[in-house]
Structures are given as structure tokens and as C-alpha cells.
Amino acid sequence: MTVPRPPDPIPGARLAFTLDPAVSHLNHGAFGAVPLPVQRAQQRLRDEMEANPHRFFDRGLVDRIAHARRHLAGFLGADPDGSALVGNTTTGVAVVLQSLGLRPEDEVLTTEHCYGAVALSIHRECRRSGASSRVLPMPISATDEEIVEIVRAGLRPGRTRLLVVDQLTSATARLLPVAAIVGVAREQGVPVLVDAAHVPGMLPVTVAGIGADFWVGNLHKWGYAPRGTALLAVRQPWRERIDPLTVSWEQEGGFPARVEWQATLDYTAWLAAPVGLYTLRCLGVDRVRAHNAALAAYGQRVVGDALGVAPAHLPDPGGPAVAMRLVPLPPGTATTVDGARALRDRIADRLAAEVAVMAWGGRGWLRLCGQVYNSAEEYERLAVRLPPLLAQR
């Protein structure tokens, strides 16, 4: 069986990261990896903060945050004045949920691909408000057209208060047609929140063009920003209804300042985030994206072959630019959340490889990512060593 050639490495890219070379880091989508220039930029900001905390927090910090936000929003094609920096995507989702004013007769609609922490946030807000939540089944093999029709049939105008949909799913690495989904929901008067945690940096995006009422994505995964950096974009009719999770001194300043200003939060991640995008541009945005997607596809084929999975049974992510791929694990392997975590830890401890193991749809899946610091040899080594490890169970 012929496996396509891996992409050529990007010269010097691996040297931009301080990752442990004794470990294969094949799960960039979980926590990202901060390039050395970005680490140094953030450390300089921390040094500035600690040299004179009074000056750092009291003189111009709100404007510096706004400047960073404008830079990040511009990269994502979002309205800078209609966006706010938040700590991560799940924080942005929580901000939106608690700002809606849900009532007992309302429901929040998601799909079975919804990220676990987002689902927990929805359940908490529904418990507080008396509203209900509902999950739409959506097969991993569904086409874009089928996905849109599943959503169309699942909406309940007048009752569905919010639809939460992933742009790129975390558990199943599937790219969803969010613009078409937003269009269908708008026809029925249902607001949409797009969870785009994995999109910034990995995929080209124009947030304003999607038209979602709310869109939130992390820049600390594929955008090389320090951890704790995400952008929440809000359409005009909703902006003044958005309240932060914690009230602080910019509460009367309106959106987005009231969401961004959280007193003595460490803002250095946000201020250093533009350096992450600068690093991405220096490496070549299109070059990095093409490399990462091709490397993830190569890893999927190599490991899939080793596990006896035919290419036709390897999930297609719905787009050639997706740098995360799934490999189905043998039946009965990692079929529960606890089982998936245990296998992930065994792979890390025994094979020195950091991967994601997911329990979804009644079976276990291995999720592999591609990033500029990875090499083809890392996937090949995993392919050789993983089958014996699985056989030991």
C-alpha cells in the first residue's frame, strides 16, 4: 500500500521551539507550543510589569490591550471594535451563555461533536436558568449538505435560544460548514455561537464573513500566541448585552473593555500575542498551513496502515488544510473517557509520544496533529511501536 510522501521540513522552524527533543509532540491542538521569540517577548513584558506594577497597570494598559486586539482581529477578519480578548474559547462561551438571560422555556442546541468543557458550561447555565439543552446526532461521515439539513431539521424557532456549533471539531477533527449553518439558523431567527478554538492560525478565516452572532477562537494553539489568548467576536445587536464573568473597573466602559479588563490579571499573554502572528508570518503563513496539513495526513496514513486501517476507513476532515487527523483504534480500545485518558498516558509514558486519544461514538480514536516542529520520523516511530503496546492490553 503506497503512502504519500511527507512534506519537506521548513528550514529552521524546529529551532524556534523549546520542546523536549526526547518526546514526540504530536498533539499541538491541545495546548499549542509557544515559539521562543514569543516567550522572550512575554518575559520582557513581565519584567516591565514587575519593575513598576503601578505604572504598568495604571498608565495606558487599556489602550495597549486594545492595540493588541486590533492586530489580532485584523488577522482574523473580525471587527476590532466588536471583539474582545478573553482567556480561552471556553471562557468566551461562558461569557455569551451568562449574557443571554436564558429562561425555563428556552433551549440551547449543540451537536454531538461539541467540546466537553463547552457542554459542561451549557449544562451549568441551563441548570441555573431552568432552560434545557439538546444534542443533535451528526455522523462523522456526514457531508456538508447533510450537516446543514440536520441542523435545519433540529432547530425549534421560538424555543431554540442559541445554537452552538464547532467550526473545526476537537474530538473528531471535522471541518463544519459554519457559514451555511449560520444562514439556515438566521432564516429561523436562531442566534449562533461558533466555537472556533482550533481555527486561528490553522485555517484562513474572515470572521465577519461567517456572520455568526458570536464567534470565539484560541490564538494560543495554531496562532503561536502565549496560552490564555482568545478572541470573542460579537455581532452589533448583541454587544451591549455582553457582560463579563467578573465585574471590574471598566464595567461602565461598554463592550469590549468591560470584558477585557479583569483588574490584576496577567495581560502579558495578550500583549505578546502579535509576536506570535509575526513569527507565523516570518515562517510563511501559507507555507506553514500546507506543511502542517500534509504532515498530519501523512501521519494518519502511516499509523493507520500500522493498525490495519484501510485508507477508505480513515476519516476525511472535510478539507485539505486541516492539520488534525483521526485514526480509528481497534474495536474495544479506549471506548470510554477514562479508558482514553489511560491509553493516552500509557503512550506518553512508554512511547515518549504526546498524542490525543478520544472516546467518541462508542469507539476510541487517536488524534494526530502536524506542526512545523514535527518530523515524518516521529509518526513512523509511533506506527512501529503502537501496535505492540495496544496488543498488551
Side-chain angles (χ1 to χ4, degrees):
M1 189 176 298
T2 303
V3 176
R5 283 178 51 83
D8 293 331
I10 297 177
R14 176 65 181 84
L15 299 176
F17 296 86
T18 57
L19 294 164
D20 183 353
V23 176
S24 294
H25 302 272
L26 306 178
N27 189 20
H28 184 87
F31 304 106
V34 184
L36 185 57
V38 185
Q39 294 180 40
R40 288 173 173 167
Q42 185 178 18
Q43 188 56 53
R44 287 194 296 270
L45 287 161
R46 284 175 171 154
D47 292 343
E48 177 192 346
M49 176 172 61
E50 297 306 331
N52 190 335
H54 217 93
R55 176 179 290 276
F56 184 86
F57 282 98
D58 262 2
R59 303 184 192 178
L61 182 54
V62 171
D63 291 337
R64 293 174 74 177
I65 294 170
H67 178 76
R69 183 212 325 132
R70 285 191 290 270
H71 189 100
L72 302 177
F75 177 78
L76 298 172
D79 178 2
D81 296 326
S83 303
L85 293 174
V86 291
N88 52 40
T89 294
T90 48
T91 298
V93 170
V95 167
V96 171
L97 286 171
Q98 63 92 34
S99 298
L100 287 177
L102 293 173
R103 299 165 296 183
E105 63 268 24
D106 295 332
E107 72 169 13
V108 179
L109 183 63
T110 63
T111 78
E112 61 181 327
H113 300 260
C114 183
Y115 184 60
V118 170
L120 290 172
S121 187
I122 291 170
H123 294 160
R124 185 187 71 169
E125 199 59 36
C126 287
R127 186 171 63 251
R128 287 175 170 176
S129 63
S132 60
S133 62
R134 186 162 54 92
V135 177
L136 289 176
M138 186 176 288
I140 195 171
S141 60
T143 65
D144 285 356
E145 293 75 16
E146 289 169 341
I147 289 170
V148 172
E149 289 310 311
I150 288 170
V151 172
R152 188 193 305 274
L155 294 171
R156 297 175 179 174
R159 181 169 184 187
T160 305
R161 188 71 183 283
L162 182 70
L163 169 64
V164 180
V165 64
D166 297 70
Q167 188 165 353
L168 177 60
T169 65
S170 177
T172 53
R174 178 62 202 270
L175 186 64
L176 301 185
V178 289
I181 290 171
V182 168
V184 165
R186 180 150 300 138
E187 290 172 1
Q188 301 193 37
V190 176
V192 180
L193 189 162
V194 173
D195 175 349
H198 291 276
V199 171
M202 185 203 292
L203 301 172
V205 63
T206 303
V207 172
I210 294 172
D213 299 270
F214 316 99
W215 182 101
V216 59
N218 293 323
L219 285 113
H220 57 244
K221 292 182 183 284
W222 304 89
Y224 296 159
R227 290 173 198 88
T229 306
L231 189 86
L232 169 65
V234 180
R235 285 186 69 232
Q236 180 62 52
W238 293 96
R239 292 174 188 172
E240 288 311 308
R241 297 176 58 177
I242 297 296
D243 263 332
L245 299 177
T246 302
V247 173
S248 193
W249 285 104
E250 288 295 323
Q251 181 66 17
E252 301 304 318
F255 183 85
R258 63 161 59 123
V259 171
E260 291 176 334
W261 186 256
Q262 297 292 296
T264 50
L265 184 74
D266 183 349
Y267 299 96
T268 60
W270 298 354
L271 300 182
V275 182
L277 295 184
Y278 176 78
T279 303
L280 180 59
R281 290 187 175 105
C282 287
L283 292 172
V285 177
D286 293 338
R287 188 183 190 187
V288 168
R289 287 172 174 163
H291 171 277
N292 292 349
L295 192 57
Y298 175 77
Q300 181 193 43
R301 280 292 300 275
V302 168
V303 177
D305 283 355
L307 296 180
V309 182
H313 295 152
L314 293 172
D316 182 343
V322 175
M324 301 193 302
R325 296 285 182 127
L326 289 190
V327 178
L329 292 169
T333 303
T335 57
T336 66
V337 172
D338 288 342
R341 289 173 177 166
L343 178 57
R344 176 201 64 191
D345 292 346
R346 286 177 63 209
I347 293 172
D349 294 341
R350 300 189 188 185
L351 306 186
E354 297 291 350
V355 299
V357 180
M358 309 291 190
W360 188 89
R363 74 172 304 163
W365 305 83
L366 181 72
R367 192 190 74 185
L368 298 172
C369 299
Q371 188 49 263
V372 296
Y373 51 73
N374 293 130
S375 67
E377 290 75 18
E378 292 176 300
Y379 305 92
E380 294 162 3
R381 186 164 56 247
L382 179 65
V384 171
R385 302 178 68 189
L386 182 59
L389 178 72
L390 295 178
Q392 291 173 9
R393 69 185 178 85

